[in-house]
Amino acid sequence: MRLAKLMAQRGLASRRKAEEMIAAGEVTVNGEVAVVTTPVDPASDVVTIKGQALPDEPDRVYYLLNKPRGYITGRVDTRDRQTVLDLVQHLTVRVEPVGRLDYDTEGALLFTNDGDLAFGLTHPSRGVEKVYVARVEGRPMAEDIVAIERGIPLPDGPTAPSKARIISRGERSSVIEITVKEGRNRMIRRMMAYLGHHVMDLRRQTFAGISLGQLRLGRTRALTPDEVAGLQMLAEKPGPKSRTRSKPKLKAGSKPKPGSKTKPKTKAKPKPRPKPKSKPKPKPRPKPKPKPKRKPKA
């Protein structure tokens, strides 16, 4: 097992943070300073972090937070802003946010100490759906919905086809729902800006099938067993299968490359044309019978 994965399982840090701790020389395995690629066996190896023994594996916990605006998704901020971890200090187990949510965006944000689940849900190959509700300036039209569904060209590449629908239209602003499977930075805001509609308010209503429901802003709730089971299925879902390339077809008469097992197609021999049937000879016309000579009258 990879050392960073073990540390994440024990609730010490996310995988990325654990790798940073290992690279900084804060972790030892059997008395030797570890590196990121050091394999570890939890049953036999002795792991210490900053001189402290690796804690026992805690029970897995899963929570949903309705994140308010004005909080960053992280533990430390160089600008001394509030973090989402300030909102989960009442939890008795160390948890990490699953993915990120912009500073100015509110809504659904999952927390867990299950590193494998968090890794699976945020991996691009899983295509986890995220539903956003945005209040935008102006009145988006049908052609804007079509553009979102086809993909918006952004500087870092076009967006994948998404779902969209207009919830309401007003004189100065409208409300639109957008469902995406990507997790780019400020993606919804940039998509709407391209279409000429500034985002005034943005809320993530649903993440990986877990919806806010009646959860109040800034509050948390534990996920139900059914919700956790659904997340585990999404996290373990394999990525899209790679397409197998079909063998190139050889043109008639061309030779295959050396080592190729493809047999060239040979031209089919033309079938011999059937000989035309001879026309039957016409039957000779019968000769007309001579007319009897008339006897002269006496």
Side-chain angles (χ1 to χ4, degrees), residues 17-276:
K17 183 62 178 177
E19 289 179 352
E20 293 175 1
M21 296 169 67
I22 297 168
E26 299 175 0
V27 185
T28 63
V29 177
N30 299 327
E32 296 183 1
V33 177
V35 295
V36 174
T37 55
T38 299
V40 61
D41 183 355
S44 58
D45 292 329
V46 178
V47 180
T48 61
I49 297 92
K50 295 182 180 179
Q52 301 294 321
L54 187 71
D56 294 333
E57 187 171 359
D59 293 334
R60 296 284 179 258
V61 295
Y62 308 88
Y63 288 91
L64 171 66
L65 166 71
N66 189 351
K67 173 192 172 296
R69 296 176 62 179
Y71 287 81
I72 67 161
T73 309
R75 286 195 171 273
V76 181
D77 181 44
T78 55
R79 296 163 59 182
D80 200 26
R81 293 175 294 181
Q82 298 180 102
T83 80
V84 291
L85 295 164
D86 297 332
L87 301 171
V88 294
Q89 289 182 349
H90 61 284
L91 301 179
T92 58
V93 179
R94 179 190 173 104
V95 292
E96 296 290 339
V98 179
R100 294 184 177 275
L101 206 52
D102 294 338
Y103 180 78
D104 294 326
T105 303
E106 63 183 42
L109 183 63
L110 296 182
F111 283 82
T112 183
N113 58 352
D114 188 339
D116 290 337
L117 180 90
F119 180 79
L121 291 177
T122 54
H123 198 280
S125 67
R126 302 303 191 267
V128 172
E129 286 193 345
K130 310 159 189 73
V131 182
Y132 291 86
V133 176
R135 186 167 68 92
V136 301
E137 291 180 352
R139 297 167 60 86
M141 306 305 289
E143 53 265 29
D144 295 322
I145 300 299
V146 173
I148 293 172
E149 291 175 343
R150 290 179 177 175
I152 301 294
L154 297 178
D156 53 347
T159 63
S162 308
K163 301 175 188 175
R165 68 184 183 94
I166 296 173
I167 297 177
S168 64
R169 285 197 185 97
E171 293 183 2
R172 297 183 179 180
S173 65
S174 304
V175 179
I176 183 172
E177 180 186 272
I178 303 175
T179 303
V180 297
K181 293 185 178 181
E182 298 177 274
R184 300 196 217 171
N185 184 37
R186 302 180 70 82
M187 180 176 170
I188 302 297
R189 297 178 187 276
R190 292 191 291 149
M191 290 169 66
M192 297 311 298
Y194 176 86
L195 297 173
H197 301 286
H198 171 70
V199 173
M200 305 165 70
D201 298 300
L202 182 61
R203 179 180 73 253
R204 187 160 71 186
Q205 185 66 29
T206 304
F207 177 84
I210 308 299
S211 184
L212 288 173
Q214 301 300 317
L215 186 62
R216 289 190 292 173
L217 204 61
R219 297 298 183 88
T220 60
R221 72 166 178 86
L223 300 189
T224 66
D226 288 343
E227 289 174 329
V228 174
L231 292 178
Q232 289 171 340
M233 289 182 63
L234 285 175
E236 295 171 1
K237 184 177 68 174
K241 295 181 179 179
S242 59
R243 296 179 180 178
T244 55
R245 294 182 180 180
S246 57
K247 294 181 179 179
K249 295 180 180 180
L250 294 174
K251 294 181 180 180
S254 62
K255 296 181 180 180
K257 294 181 180 180
S260 173
K261 295 182 180 179
T262 307
K263 294 181 180 180
K265 291 183 179 180
T266 56
K267 285 186 178 180
K269 293 181 180 180
K271 294 180 180 180
R273 292 182 180 179
K275 294 181 180 180

